[in-house]
Coordinates of all heavy atoms in Angstrom, one line a residue:
E1 N 0.7 -21.0 -40.0 CA 1.0 -19.9 -39.1 C -0.3 -19.2 -38.7 O -1.2 -19.1 -39.5 CB 1.9 -18.9 -39.7 CG 3.2 -19.5 -40.2 CD 4.4 -19.0 -39.6 OE1 4.6 -19.3 -38.4 OE2 5.1 -18.2 -40.2
K2 N -0.4 -18.7 -37.5 CA -1.6 -18.0 -37.0 C -1.2 -16.6 -36.6 O -0.2 -16.3 -36.0 CB -2.2 -18.7 -35.8 CG -3.0 -20.0 -36.2 CD -4.3 -19.6 -36.9 CE -5.0 -20.9 -37.3 NZ -6.1 -20.6 -38.2
Y3 N -2.1 -15.7 -37.0 CA -1.9 -14.3 -36.7 C -3.2 -13.8 -35.9 O -4.3 -14.4 -36.1 CB -1.8 -13.5 -38.0 CG -0.6 -13.9 -38.8 CD1 -0.6 -15.0 -39.7 CD2 0.6 -13.2 -38.6 CE1 0.5 -15.4 -40.4 CE2 1.8 -13.6 -39.4 CZ 1.7 -14.7 -40.2 OH 2.8 -15.1 -40.9
S4 N -3.0 -12.8 -35.1 CA -4.1 -12.3 -34.3 C -4.1 -10.8 -34.2 O -3.0 -10.2 -34.2 CB -4.0 -12.9 -32.9 OG -5.1 -12.5 -32.1
I5 N -5.3 -10.2 -34.2 CA -5.4 -8.8 -34.0 C -6.7 -8.6 -33.1 O -7.6 -9.4 -33.2 CB -5.5 -8.0 -35.3 CG1 -5.4 -6.5 -35.1 CG2 -6.8 -8.4 -36.0 CD1 -5.2 -5.8 -36.5
V6 N -6.7 -7.5 -32.3 CA -7.9 -7.2 -31.5 C -8.7 -6.1 -32.2 O -8.2 -5.1 -32.6 CB -7.5 -6.8 -30.1 CG1 -8.8 -6.3 -29.3 CG2 -6.8 -7.8 -29.4
N7 N -10.0 -6.4 -32.4 CA -10.9 -5.3 -32.9 C -11.3 -4.4 -31.7 O -12.1 -4.7 -30.8 CB -12.2 -6.0 -33.4 CG -13.1 -4.9 -34.0 OD1 -12.9 -3.7 -33.8 ND2 -14.1 -5.4 -34.7
K8 N -10.6 -3.3 -31.6 CA -10.8 -2.4 -30.5 C -12.1 -1.7 -30.5 O -12.6 -1.1 -29.6 CB -9.6 -1.3 -30.5 CG -8.3 -1.9 -30.1 CD -7.3 -0.8 -29.8 CE -6.2 -1.4 -28.9 NZ -5.4 -0.3 -28.4
D9 N -12.8 -1.7 -31.7 CA -14.1 -1.1 -31.8 C -15.2 -1.9 -31.0 O -16.2 -1.4 -30.7 CB -14.5 -1.0 -33.2 CG -13.7 0.1 -34.0 OD1 -13.2 1.0 -33.3 OD2 -13.6 0.0 -35.2
T10 N -14.9 -3.2 -30.9 CA -15.9 -4.0 -30.2 C -15.4 -4.5 -28.8 O -16.2 -5.0 -28.0 CB -16.3 -5.2 -31.1 OG1 -15.1 -6.0 -31.4 CG2 -17.0 -4.8 -32.4
C11 N -14.1 -4.4 -28.6 CA -13.6 -4.8 -27.2 C -14.3 -4.0 -26.2 O -14.4 -2.8 -26.3 CB -12.1 -4.6 -27.2 SG -11.3 -4.8 -25.6
I12 N -14.7 -4.6 -25.1 CA -15.4 -3.9 -24.0 C -14.5 -3.9 -22.8 O -15.0 -3.7 -21.7 CB -16.7 -4.6 -23.7 CG1 -16.6 -6.1 -23.3 CG2 -17.7 -4.4 -24.8 CD1 -17.8 -6.7 -22.8
A13 N -13.2 -4.1 -23.0 CA -12.3 -4.1 -21.9 C -12.7 -5.0 -20.7 O -12.5 -4.7 -19.6 CB -12.1 -2.6 -21.3
C14 N -13.1 -6.2 -21.1 CA -13.6 -7.1 -20.1 C -12.4 -7.7 -19.3 O -12.6 -8.2 -18.2 CB -14.4 -8.2 -20.7 SG -13.4 -9.6 -21.5
G15 N -11.3 -7.8 -19.9 CA -10.1 -8.2 -19.2 C -9.8 -9.7 -19.2 O -9.0 -10.2 -18.5
A16 N -10.5 -10.4 -20.0 CA -10.4 -11.9 -20.0 C -9.1 -12.3 -20.8 O -8.4 -13.3 -20.4 CB -11.6 -12.6 -20.6
C17 N -8.8 -11.7 -21.9 CA -7.8 -12.2 -22.8 C -6.4 -12.3 -22.2 O -5.7 -13.3 -22.3 CB -7.8 -11.6 -24.2 SG -7.8 -9.8 -24.1
A18 N -6.0 -11.2 -21.6 CA -4.7 -11.2 -21.0 C -4.5 -12.0 -19.8 O -3.4 -12.4 -19.4 CB -4.2 -9.7 -20.8
A19 N -5.7 -12.3 -19.1 CA -5.7 -13.2 -18.0 C -5.5 -14.6 -18.5 O -4.8 -15.4 -17.9 CB -7.0 -13.1 -17.2
T20 N -6.0 -14.9 -19.7 CA -5.9 -16.2 -20.3 C -4.6 -16.4 -21.0 O -4.0 -17.5 -21.0 CB -7.1 -16.4 -21.3 OG1 -8.3 -16.3 -20.6 CG2 -7.0 -17.8 -22.0
A21 N -4.2 -15.3 -21.7 CA -3.0 -15.4 -22.5 C -2.1 -14.2 -22.3 O -2.0 -13.3 -23.1 CB -3.4 -15.5 -24.0
P22 N -1.4 -14.2 -21.1 CA -0.6 -13.0 -20.8 C 0.6 -12.7 -21.7 O 1.1 -11.6 -21.7 CB -0.2 -13.3 -19.3 CG -0.3 -14.8 -19.2 CD -1.4 -15.2 -20.1
D23 N 1.0 -13.7 -22.4 CA 2.1 -13.5 -23.3 C 1.7 -12.9 -24.6 O 2.5 -12.5 -25.5 CB 2.9 -14.8 -23.6 CG 3.6 -15.3 -22.3 OD1 4.1 -14.5 -21.5 OD2 3.6 -16.5 -22.1
L24 N 0.4 -12.9 -24.9 CA -0.1 -12.5 -26.2 C -0.9 -11.2 -26.1 O -1.0 -10.5 -27.1 CB -1.1 -13.6 -26.7 CG -0.4 -14.9 -27.1 CD1 -1.4 -15.9 -27.5 CD2 0.6 -14.6 -28.3
F25 N -1.6 -10.9 -25.0 CA -2.4 -9.7 -24.9 C -2.1 -8.8 -23.7 O -1.7 -9.3 -22.7 CB -3.9 -10.1 -24.9 CG -4.3 -10.9 -26.1 CD1 -4.4 -12.3 -26.0 CD2 -4.7 -10.3 -27.3 CE1 -4.8 -13.1 -27.1 CE2 -5.0 -11.1 -28.4 CZ -5.1 -12.4 -28.3
D26 N -2.3 -7.5 -23.9 CA -2.2 -6.6 -22.8 C -3.3 -5.5 -23.1 O -4.0 -5.6 -24.1 CB -0.8 -6.0 -22.8 CG -0.5 -5.4 -21.4 OD1 -1.4 -5.4 -20.5 OD2 0.7 -4.9 -21.2
Y27 N -3.4 -4.6 -22.1 CA -4.4 -3.6 -22.2 C -3.8 -2.2 -22.3 O -2.8 -1.9 -21.7 CB -5.4 -3.7 -21.0 CG -5.9 -5.1 -20.8 CD1 -5.6 -5.7 -19.6 CD2 -6.6 -5.8 -21.7 CE1 -6.0 -7.0 -19.3 CE2 -7.0 -7.0 -21.5 CZ -6.7 -7.7 -20.3 OH -7.2 -8.9 -20.0
D28 N -4.5 -1.3 -23.1 CA -4.0 0.0 -23.2 C -4.6 0.9 -22.1 O -5.2 0.3 -21.2 CB -4.4 0.6 -24.6 CG -5.9 0.8 -24.8 OD1 -6.6 0.8 -23.8 OD2 -6.3 1.0 -26.0
D29 N -4.4 2.2 -22.1 CA -4.8 3.0 -21.0 C -6.3 3.0 -20.8 O -6.8 3.3 -19.7 CB -4.4 4.5 -21.3 CG -2.9 4.7 -21.3 OD1 -2.2 3.8 -20.7 OD2 -2.4 5.7 -21.8
E30 N -7.1 2.6 -21.8 CA -8.5 2.6 -21.7 C -9.0 1.2 -21.3 O -10.2 0.9 -21.3 CB -9.2 3.0 -23.0 CG -8.9 4.5 -23.3 CD -9.5 4.9 -24.7 OE1 -9.7 4.0 -25.5 OE2 -9.7 6.1 -24.8
G31 N -8.0 0.3 -21.2 CA -8.4 -1.1 -20.8 C -8.7 -2.0 -22.0 O -9.1 -3.1 -21.9
L32 N -8.5 -1.4 -23.2 CA -8.8 -2.1 -24.5 C -7.6 -3.0 -24.8 O -6.4 -2.6 -24.6 CB -9.1 -1.2 -25.6 CG -10.3 -0.2 -25.4 CD1 -10.4 0.7 -26.6 CD2 -11.6 -1.0 -25.2
A33 N -7.9 -4.2 -25.3 CA -6.8 -5.2 -25.5 C -6.1 -4.9 -26.8 O -6.6 -4.3 -27.7 CB -7.4 -6.6 -25.5
F34 N -4.8 -5.3 -26.8 CA -4.0 -5.3 -28.0 C -3.1 -6.4 -28.0 O -2.8 -7.0 -27.0 CB -3.2 -3.9 -28.2 CG -2.2 -3.7 -27.2 CD1 -0.9 -4.1 -27.3 CD2 -2.6 -3.0 -26.0 CE1 0.1 -3.8 -26.4 CE2 -1.6 -2.8 -25.0 CZ -0.3 -3.2 -25.2
T35 N -2.6 -6.8 -29.2 CA -1.7 -7.9 -29.3 C -0.2 -7.5 -28.9 O 0.3 -6.5 -29.5 CB -1.7 -8.6 -30.7 OG1 -1.4 -7.6 -31.6 CG2 -3.0 -9.2 -31.0
L36 N 0.4 -8.2 -28.0 CA 1.7 -7.8 -27.5 C 2.8 -8.1 -28.5 O 3.8 -7.3 -28.6 CB 2.0 -8.6 -26.2 CG 1.6 -8.0 -24.9 CD1 1.9 -9.1 -23.8 CD2 2.4 -6.7 -24.6
L37 N 2.6 -9.1 -29.3 CA 3.7 -9.5 -30.2 C 4.0 -8.4 -31.3 O 5.1 -8.3 -31.8 CB 3.4 -10.8 -30.9 CG 3.3 -12.1 -30.1 CD1 2.8 -13.2 -30.9 CD2 4.6 -12.4 -29.5
D38 N 2.9 -7.7 -31.7 CA 3.1 -6.8 -32.8 C 2.3 -5.5 -32.7 O 2.0 -4.8 -33.6 CB 2.7 -7.5 -34.1 CG 1.2 -8.1 -34.0 OD1 0.5 -7.6 -33.1 OD2 0.9 -9.0 -34.7
Q39 N 2.0 -5.1 -31.4 CA 1.3 -3.8 -31.1 C 0.0 -3.7 -31.9 O -0.3 -2.7 -32.5 CB 2.2 -2.6 -31.4 CG 3.5 -2.6 -30.5 CD 3.1 -2.5 -29.0 OE1 2.3 -1.7 -28.6 NE2 3.7 -3.4 -28.2
N40 N -0.6 -4.8 -32.0 CA -1.9 -4.9 -32.7 C -1.9 -4.6 -34.2 O -2.9 -4.2 -34.8 CB -3.0 -4.0 -32.0 CG -4.3 -4.7 -31.9 OD1 -4.5 -5.9 -31.6 ND2 -5.4 -4.0 -32.3
T41 N -0.8 -4.9 -34.8 CA -0.8 -4.8 -36.3 C -1.3 -6.2 -36.9 O -1.7 -6.3 -38.0 CB 0.6 -4.5 -36.9 OG1 1.5 -5.6 -36.6 CG2 1.1 -3.2 -36.4
G42 N -1.2 -7.2 -36.0 CA -1.5 -8.6 -36.5 C -0.6 -9.2 -37.5 O -0.9 -10.1 -38.3
N43 N 0.7 -8.7 -37.5 CA 1.7 -9.2 -38.5 C 2.7 -10.2 -37.9 O 3.5 -10.7 -38.7 CB 2.4 -8.0 -39.0 CG 1.6 -7.2 -40.0 OD1 0.5 -7.6 -40.4 ND2 2.0 -6.0 -40.4
A44 N 2.6 -10.4 -36.6 CA 3.6 -11.4 -36.0 C 3.0 -12.8 -35.9 O 1.9 -12.9 -35.3 CB 4.1 -10.9 -34.7
A45 N 3.6 -13.8 -36.5 CA 3.1 -15.1 -36.3 C 3.2 -15.5 -34.9 O 4.2 -15.3 -34.2 CB 3.9 -16.1 -37.2
V46 N 2.1 -16.1 -34.4 CA 2.1 -16.5 -33.0 C 2.9 -17.8 -32.8 O 2.7 -18.8 -33.6 CB 0.6 -16.8 -32.5 CG1 0.6 -17.3 -31.1 CG2 -0.2 -15.5 -32.6
P47 N 3.8 -17.8 -31.9 CA 4.7 -19.0 -31.7 C 3.9 -20.2 -31.3 O 2.8 -20.1 -30.6 CB 5.6 -18.6 -30.5 CG 5.6 -17.1 -30.5 CD 4.2 -16.7 -31.0
D48 N 4.3 -21.4 -31.8 CA 3.6 -22.6 -31.6 C 3.2 -22.8 -30.1 O 2.1 -23.3 -29.8 CB 4.4 -23.8 -32.0 CG 4.4 -23.9 -33.6 OD1 3.7 -23.2 -34.2 OD2 5.3 -24.7 -34.1
E49 N 4.1 -22.5 -29.2 CA 3.9 -22.8 -27.8 C 2.8 -21.9 -27.2 O 2.3 -22.2 -26.1 CB 5.1 -22.7 -27.0 CG 5.8 -21.3 -26.9 CD 6.8 -21.1 -28.0 OE1 6.7 -21.7 -29.1 OE2 7.7 -20.2 -27.8
L50 N 2.4 -20.9 -27.9 CA 1.3 -20.0 -27.4 C 0.0 -20.2 -28.1 O -1.0 -19.5 -27.8 CB 1.8 -18.5 -27.6 CG 3.0 -18.1 -26.7 CD1 3.3 -16.7 -27.0 CD2 2.7 -18.3 -25.3
L51 N -0.1 -21.1 -29.1 CA -1.3 -21.3 -29.9 C -2.5 -21.8 -29.0 O -3.6 -21.4 -29.2 CB -1.1 -22.3 -31.0 CG -0.2 -21.8 -32.1 CD1 0.0 -22.9 -33.2 CD2 -0.8 -20.6 -32.8
E52 N -2.2 -22.6 -28.0 CA -3.3 -23.0 -27.1 C -3.9 -21.9 -26.4 O -5.1 -21.7 -26.2 CB -2.8 -24.1 -26.2 CG -3.9 -25.0 -25.5 CD -3.3 -26.2 -24.8 OE1 -2.2 -26.7 -25.1 OE2 -3.9 -26.5 -23.8
D53 N -3.0 -21.0 -25.8 CA -3.5 -19.8 -25.1 C -4.3 -18.9 -26.1 O -5.3 -18.3 -25.7 CB -2.3 -19.0 -24.6 CG -1.8 -19.6 -23.3 OD1 -2.3 -20.6 -22.8 OD2 -0.8 -19.0 -22.8
L54 N -3.8 -18.8 -27.3 CA -4.5 -18.0 -28.3 C -5.9 -18.5 -28.5 O -6.9 -17.7 -28.5 CB -3.7 -18.0 -29.6 CG -4.3 -17.2 -30.8 CD1 -4.4 -15.7 -30.4 CD2 -3.6 -17.4 -32.1
V55 N -6.1 -19.7 -28.7 CA -7.4 -20.3 -29.0 C -8.3 -20.1 -27.8 O -9.5 -19.8 -27.9 CB -7.3 -21.8 -29.4 CG1 -8.7 -22.4 -29.5 CG2 -6.6 -21.8 -30.8
D56 N -7.7 -20.3 -26.6 CA -8.5 -20.2 -25.4 C -9.0 -18.7 -25.2 O -10.1 -18.5 -24.9 CB -7.7 -20.5 -24.1 CG -7.5 -22.0 -24.0 OD1 -8.1 -22.8 -24.7 OD2 -6.6 -22.4 -23.2
A57 N -8.1 -17.7 -25.5 CA -8.5 -16.3 -25.5 C -9.5 -16.0 -26.5 O -10.5 -15.3 -26.3 CB -7.3 -15.4 -25.6
Y58 N -9.3 -16.5 -27.7 CA -10.3 -16.3 -28.8 C -11.7 -16.8 -28.4 O -12.7 -16.1 -28.6 CB -9.7 -17.1 -30.0 CG -10.7 -17.2 -31.2 CD1 -10.9 -16.1 -32.0 CD2 -11.3 -18.4 -31.5 CE1 -11.8 -16.2 -33.1 CE2 -12.2 -18.5 -32.6 CZ -12.4 -17.4 -33.4 OH -13.3 -17.6 -34.4
E59 N -11.7 -18.0 -27.9 CA -13.0 -18.6 -27.5 C -13.6 -17.9 -26.3 O -14.8 -17.9 -26.1 CB -12.9 -20.1 -27.3 CG -12.5 -20.8 -28.6 CD -12.3 -22.3 -28.3 OE1 -12.2 -22.8 -27.2 OE2 -12.3 -23.1 -29.3
G60 N -12.8 -17.3 -25.5 CA -13.3 -16.7 -24.2 C -13.7 -15.3 -24.3 O -14.3 -14.8 -23.4
C61 N -13.4 -14.6 -25.4 CA -13.7 -13.2 -25.6 C -15.3 -13.1 -25.7 O -15.8 -13.7 -26.7 CB -13.0 -12.6 -26.7 SG -13.5 -10.9 -27.0
P62 N -15.9 -12.4 -24.8 CA -17.4 -12.3 -24.9 C -17.9 -11.5 -26.1 O -19.1 -11.6 -26.4 CB -17.8 -11.6 -23.6 CG -16.6 -10.8 -23.2 CD -15.4 -11.6 -23.7
T63 N -17.1 -10.7 -26.7 CA -17.6 -9.9 -27.9 C -16.9 -10.3 -29.2 O -17.1 -9.6 -30.2 CB -17.3 -8.4 -27.6 OG1 -15.9 -8.2 -27.4 CG2 -18.0 -7.9 -26.4
E64 N -16.3 -11.5 -29.2 CA -15.6 -12.0 -30.4 C -14.7 -10.9 -31.0 O -14.7 -10.7 -32.2 CB -16.6 -12.5 -31.4 CG -17.5 -13.6 -30.8 CD -18.5 -14.2 -31.8 OE1 -18.6 -13.7 -32.9 OE2 -19.2 -15.2 -31.4
S65 N -14.0 -10.2 -30.2 CA -13.1 -9.1 -30.6 C -11.7 -9.6 -31.0 O -10.9 -8.8 -31.6 CB -13.0 -8.0 -29.6 OG -14.2 -7.5 -29.3
I66 N -11.4 -10.8 -30.7 CA -10.1 -11.4 -31.0 C -10.2 -12.1 -32.4 O -11.0 -13.0 -32.5 CB -9.6 -12.3 -30.0 CG1 -9.3 -11.5 -28.7 CG2 -8.3 -13.0 -30.4 CD1 -9.0 -12.4 -27.5
C67 N -9.5 -11.5 -33.4 CA -9.6 -12.1 -34.7 C -8.4 -13.0 -35.0 O -7.3 -12.6 -34.6 CB -9.6 -10.9 -35.7 SG -10.9 -9.7 -35.4
L68 N -8.6 -14.1 -35.7 CA -7.5 -15.0 -36.0 C -7.5 -15.2 -37.5 O -8.5 -15.1 -38.2 CB -7.7 -16.4 -35.4 CG -7.9 -16.4 -33.9 CD1 -8.0 -17.9 -33.4 CD2 -6.7 -15.7 -33.2
S69 N -6.3 -15.4 -38.1 CA -6.2 -15.6 -39.5 C -4.9 -16.4 -39.8 O -4.0 -16.4 -38.9 CB -6.1 -14.3 -40.3 OG -5.9 -14.6 -41.6
D70 N -4.9 -17.1 -40.9 CA -3.7 -17.7 -41.4 C -2.7 -16.8 -42.1 O -1.6 -17.1 -42.4 CB -4.0 -18.9 -42.3 CG -4.8 -20.0 -41.7 OD1 -4.7 -20.1 -40.4 OD2 -5.6 -20.7 -42.4
E71 N -3.2 -15.6 -42.3 CA -2.4 -14.5 -43.0 C -2.2 -13.3 -42.1 O -3.1 -13.0 -41.2 CB -3.1 -14.1 -44.3 CG -3.5 -15.2 -45.2 CD -2.3 -15.8 -45.9 OE1 -1.3 -15.1 -46.0 OE2 -2.4 -17.0 -46.3
P72 N -1.1 -12.5 -42.3 CA -1.0 -11.3 -41.5 C -2.1 -10.3 -41.8 O -2.7 -10.3 -42.9 CB 0.3 -10.7 -42.0 CG 1.1 -11.9 -42.6 CD 0.0 -12.8 -43.2
F73 N -2.5 -9.5 -40.8 CA -3.6 -8.6 -40.9 C -3.2 -7.3 -41.5 O -4.0 -6.5 -41.9 CB -4.2 -8.4 -39.5 CG -5.1 -9.5 -39.1 CD1 -4.6 -10.5 -38.3 CD2 -6.4 -9.6 -39.4 CE1 -5.4 -11.6 -37.8 CE2 -7.2 -10.6 -39.0 CZ -6.7 -11.6 -38.2
N74 N -1.9 -6.9 -41.4 CA -1.4 -5.6 -41.8 C -2.2 -4.5 -41.2 O -2.5 -3.5 -41.9 CB -1.5 -5.5 -43.4 CG -0.5 -6.4 -44.0 OD1 0.7 -6.5 -43.6 ND2 -0.9 -7.2 -45.0
G75 N -2.6 -4.6 -40.0 CA -3.3 -3.6 -39.2 C -4.8 -3.5 -39.5 O -5.5 -2.6 -38.9
Q76 N -5.3 -4.3 -40.4 CA -6.7 -4.2 -40.8 C -7.5 -5.3 -40.1 O -7.2 -6.5 -40.3 CB -6.9 -4.5 -42.3 CG -6.3 -3.4 -43.2 CD -7.0 -2.1 -43.0 OE1 -6.5 -1.1 -42.5 NE2 -8.3 -2.0 -43.4
V77 N -8.4 -4.9 -39.2 CA -9.3 -5.9 -38.5 C -10.2 -6.5 -39.5 O -10.9 -5.9 -40.3 CB -10.1 -5.2 -37.4 CG1 -11.1 -6.1 -36.9 CG2 -9.2 -4.7 -36.3
V78 N -10.2 -7.8 -39.5 CA -11.1 -8.6 -40.3 C -11.9 -9.5 -39.4 O -11.3 -10.4 -38.8 CB -10.3 -9.5 -41.4 CG1 -11.3 -10.3 -42.2 CG2 -9.4 -8.6 -42.2
N79 N -13.2 -9.3 -39.4 CA -14.0 -10.2 -38.6 C -14.3 -11.5 -39.3 O -14.5 -11.5 -40.5 CB -15.3 -9.5 -38.3 CG -15.2 -8.3 -37.3 OD1 -14.5 -8.5 -36.3 ND2 -15.7 -7.2 -37.6
Q80 N -14.3 -12.5 -38.4 CA -14.4 -13.9 -39.0 C -15.9 -14.1 -39.4 O -16.8 -13.6 -38.8 CB -14.0 -14.9 -37.9 CG -12.6 -14.7 -37.4 CD -11.6 -15.2 -38.2 OE1 -11.6 -16.4 -38.6 NE2 -10.6 -14.4 -38.6
Ligands
LIG1 FE1 -11.6 -7.1 -25.0 FE2 -12.3 -9.5 -25.5 FE3 -10.0 -9.1 -24.4 S1 -13.6 -7.9 -24.8 S2 -10.3 -7.3 -23.2 S3 -10.6 -8.5 -26.4 S4 -11.4 -10.8 -24.0

């Protein structure tokens, strides 16, 4: 299983991730990204059919703000 959380401290609101993976990411009022599945707690396993989008967004983020893990994040950003 894959889990994802956005590091909002390093996100620069570039807007790439939700364009790449609209089912996984959205932007808050400041344009900072968050995970749609779990409101950026990183606790929801990403469905298999969205894993390709997830990896594309992960690789496309210019500030490496999208964190991936095999374990839930419990709201704690862990940089890879
Ligand atoms: Fe932010 Fe990276 Fe998305 S900078 S808006 S998390 S592509």
Side-chain angles (χ1 to χ4, degrees):
E1 307 240 73
K2 282 291 179 193
Y3 300 84
S4 180
I5 193 170
V6 175
N7 183 349
K8 289 191 158 194
D9 291 335
T10 58
C11 173
I12 56 170
C14 81
C17 51
T20 300
D23 295 322
L24 292 174
F25 300 98
D26 201 354
Y27 310 118
D28 69 14
D29 292 343
E30 297 178 335
L32 301 177
F34 63 92
T35 56
L36 269 175
L37 293 174
D38 53 24
Q39 299 299 310
N40 219 49
T41 63
N43 285 347
V46 175
D48 286 347
E49 64 269 24
L50 296 178
L51 288 176
E52 198 171 331
D53 279 1
L54 176 63
V55 172
D56 287 347
Y58 169 76
E59 293 178 345
C61 177
T63 59
E64 299 182 358
S65 297
I66 295 173
C67 306
L68 304 184
S69 176
D70 296 334
E71 305 289 337
F73 284 93
N74 292 313
Q76 294 293 115
V77 169
V78 178
N79 286 315
Q80 306 279 307

